[in-house]
Amino acid sequence: MEIILSQLVHLEPMNEGWTTVKKSFESNVIPHKGDYITDSVWKADDEQEVASVEINYQENYCFVHLKPIELKTNDENVLREYVKMTKLHGWESMMETY
């Protein structure tokens, strides 16, 4: 089954800027709400909690919403740099990082 991790990343306050980052992979293990996910994008001891899970058995995918990350700044350049870093770890975002 295709597992799609999705996480909202936003500035403080949120209306200053936000984006969603996503990463897909194949797995037979389906995460559940309250589980914790590890990935190379986060520090070794920084796990991200699963906020909700949507399973589409007809199309064979599982959409996993992770708890949002709040960047403690209102500088949009910090958000762009964070997105650039996630892309180095196989994540995708619609945000332009020029």
Side-chain angles (χ1 to χ4, degrees), residues 10-28:
H10 64 88
L11 298 174
E12 182 183 57
M14 188 170 169
N15 64 355
E16 293 292 328
W18 62 272
T19 190
T20 301
V21 292
K22 296 178 183 175
K23 185 174 187 177
S24 300
F25 55 91
E26 291 292 322
S27 178
N28 293 326

Side-chain angles (χ1 to χ4, degrees), residues 10-13 16-17 71-82 95:
H10 64 88
L11 298 174
E12 182 183 57
E16 293 292 328
L71 303 175
K72 303 291 185 191
T73 181
N74 63 358
D75 184 349
E76 192 171 323
N77 289 322
V78 173
L79 180 59
R80 280 195 181 88
E81 288 301 314
Y82 186 88
M95 181 180 209

Side-chain angles (χ1 to χ4, degrees), residues 22-83:
K22 296 178 183 175
K23 185 174 187 177
S24 300
F25 55 91
E26 291 292 322
S27 178
N28 293 326
V29 179
I30 298 175
H32 298 88
K33 181 178 178 178
D35 285 352
Y36 287 88
I37 305 291
T38 61
D39 187 85
S40 63
V41 74
W42 307 300
K43 296 177 185 173
D45 59 344
D46 188 16
E47 301 169 327
Q48 299 296 307
E49 186 174 354
V50 174
S52 66
V53 177
E54 300 168 30
I55 302 170
N56 185 320
Y57 290 106
Q58 186 175 1
E59 296 187 26
N60 200 35
Y61 72 84
C62 176
F63 204 83
V64 179
H65 300 271
L66 302 174
K67 288 204 171 180
I69 291 180
E70 179 180 73
L71 303 175
K72 303 291 185 191
T73 181
N74 63 358
D75 184 349
E76 192 171 323
N77 289 322
V78 173
L79 180 59
R80 280 195 181 88
E81 288 301 314
Y82 186 88
V83 169

